[in-house]
Amino acid sequence: MLFSPATLGILILSILTVAVFLVLMVLVFRGLFQYIHAKDARTEKEAVKKSLGETLKARRLQCKMTQEFVAEALGVSRQAVSKWEQGKSDPSTSNLLALAKLFHIPAEELLKDVE
């Protein structure tokens, strides 16, 4: 007999371990390859995202409203609306809901593309 049963068992276990390791390495390299080649999709998705301020300004202009009009409708100062649009501050939850109502859209729509 060339190999004892114990030696044969160890040999088979070693071969299986190497095979499992190679399969795992192939899977890791495939995942890395797909991640690297998905950079264009990630870049495009980030370009679509906006800040809340940009979204608020775009909606306000789409509705042909001035900052002054929005401020009066919500009972805040024009400077507060300006700060929201510049990203210097964020509206409170109640003001965000009031903005959505003023723009005739669901509140989720304001937050949909926000980073």
Side-chain angles (χ1 to χ4, degrees), residues 9-60:
I10 291 173
L11 183 62
I12 291 172
L13 187 59
S14 298
I15 291 172
L16 286 174
T17 303
V18 169
V20 167
F21 177 76
L22 289 174
V23 168
L24 288 174
M25 291 306 296
V26 166
L27 292 174
V28 166
F29 283 119
R30 274 188 185 172
L32 286 172
F33 185 76
Q34 287 179 348
Y35 178 79
I36 289 168
H37 285 86
K39 182 181 179 191
D40 295 335
R42 288 192 313 273
T43 305
E44 182 180 331
K45 186 175 181 181
E46 286 181 20
V48 170
K49 289 186 173 183
K50 301 180 199 177
S51 71
L52 178 59
E54 290 170 328
T55 302
L56 292 175
K57 184 175 182 177
R59 286 292 178 172
R60 177 179 62 78

Side-chain angles (χ1 to χ4, degrees), residues 40-101:
D40 295 335
R42 288 192 313 273
T43 305
E44 182 180 331
K45 186 175 181 181
E46 286 181 20
V48 170
K49 289 186 173 183
K50 301 180 199 177
S51 71
L52 178 59
E54 290 170 328
T55 302
L56 292 175
K57 184 175 182 177
R59 286 292 178 172
R60 177 179 62 78
L61 294 175
Q62 185 179 13
C63 294
K64 298 180 179 160
M65 297 177 184
T66 63
Q67 286 183 344
E68 188 71 35
F69 178 81
V70 171
E72 287 178 17
L74 270 62
V76 298
S77 68
R78 188 202 55 77
Q79 289 81 2
V81 175
S82 176
K83 285 180 182 180
W84 297 341
E85 291 182 359
Q86 292 175 15
K88 292 181 179 177
S89 67
D90 291 327
S92 67
T93 304
S94 59
N95 282 334
L96 191 64
L97 294 172
L99 284 164
K101 188 175 181 179

